[in-house]
Amino acid sequence: SALGRHTSPSRATAFTPHDSTGLDDGTSAAASSSESSSSRITDAPDGLQSETSMHGLVRAWEHGLSADGDVEWASRLVQLRQYIAAHGDSSAGFRDGDDPQLGRWAAKQRSDARRGDCGFGLETCEQRRQELEAAGFEFEEDEAEWVRWFASLKAFQQGSGHCSPWALAQGVDLRLINWCSVQRIARRSRVLRDSRIQRLDTLGFDWEGADPLS
């Protein structure tokens, strides 16, 4: 990962139970898409339902969330779609100014996918994964962060006409300069993915540029 990276949303501080979720106004409309999974839990035997609900809460608390049940999850999905529409990617939590709760929620979805456990049963977990895939969610944390910096480089290239940010240029994020240096070093070390090399090539990336990290 690039130097100067944001702290990963998955390392958020533990949730305090009286905290609020700050869900947006899309909750009511989005919740209807999750009624089927809600009914599956409701129809479960009381003991199993209680155990599943508690497990789901614990999984949410591990990521600094108050809850991640059907209503909360559906509302966050609406918020994620809005984020993707605004930024062109699903890298919530890796940009300055991102909603920290959305970043933590996104980190939990990646963790849930890796573990195969969202806290609400296999059927609900699979349904959630399918909805996230349909929305264009990036499940790999490292790739989500890389895409965030690629987008910053693309914006710089479009504004400046070249792809070589340097320290004395006005308004250049030093973290972006370091990130570019890391890409060059990674390619020379033959550890940079071909797909990333190709994407950088489309911008006219300067592979021979000066590296402050070298």
Side-chain angles (χ1 to χ4, degrees):
S1 299
L3 297 184
R5 60 178 287 181
H6 291 309
T7 300
S8 168
S10 62
R11 299 186 182 91
T13 54
F15 167 73
T16 303
H18 63 262
D19 194 9
S20 62
T21 60
L23 299 179
D24 64 14
D25 294 336
T27 302
S28 297
S32 61
S33 67
S34 298
E35 288 179 355
S36 60
S37 60
S38 177
S39 63
R40 286 195 296 272
I41 295 176
T42 304
D43 293 341
D46 291 342
L48 180 58
Q49 178 183 342
S50 177
E51 182 179 348
T52 300
S53 298
M54 180 54 66
H55 181 50
L57 279 174
V58 170
R59 289 286 295 136
W61 294 346
E62 289 174 350
H63 290 271
L65 302 172
S66 62
D68 196 26
D70 288 338
V71 172
E72 295 86 0
W73 194 91
S75 181
R76 290 296 177 197
L77 180 62
V78 169
Q79 193 178 0
L80 175 68
R81 287 171 174 156
Q82 293 169 346
Y83 184 96
I84 292 173
H87 296 283
D89 59 59
S90 61
S91 304
F94 291 109
R95 287 184 172 89
D96 296 335
D98 281 353
D99 181 347
Q101 285 290 318
L102 180 61
R104 293 167 189 167
W105 179 84
K108 179 182 181 295
Q109 307 317 305
R110 296 186 178 103
S111 175
D112 289 348
R114 289 193 304 271
R115 295 176 55 163
D117 176 20
C118 66
F120 295 97
L122 293 177
E123 191 172 351
T124 296
C125 294
E126 179 58 26
Q127 179 183 345
R128 289 184 175 187
R129 182 181 180 90
Q130 291 176 5
E131 291 192 52
L132 287 168
E133 287 178 344
F137 184 69
E138 174 56 61
F139 286 93
E140 185 180 340
E141 181 178 346
D142 180 68
E143 183 68 11
E145 184 181 15
W146 191 91
V147 167
R148 171 260 186 272
W149 287 107
F150 177 82
S152 291
L153 181 63
K154 184 176 181 179
F156 174 87
Q157 190 268 349
Q158 291 174 341
S160 65
H162 64 86
C163 207
S164 301
W166 54 297
L168 298 181
Q170 185 176 5
V172 176
D173 189 337
L174 292 177
R175 294 171 298 177
L176 178 60
I177 297 172
N178 287 347
W179 182 85
C180 290
S181 182
V182 168
Q183 307 315 304
R184 296 186 186 100
I185 294 170
R187 188 185 187 186
R188 288 199 298 268
S189 302
R190 299 184 179 182
V191 295
L192 188 62
R193 299 177 187 175
D194 289 342
S195 60
R196 294 181 176 181
I197 293 173
Q198 292 169 4
R199 294 188 71 177
L200 289 167
D201 281 341
T202 64
L203 297 183
F205 187 73
D206 181 8
W207 294 105
E208 304 301 324
D211 291 332
L213 301 181
S214 296

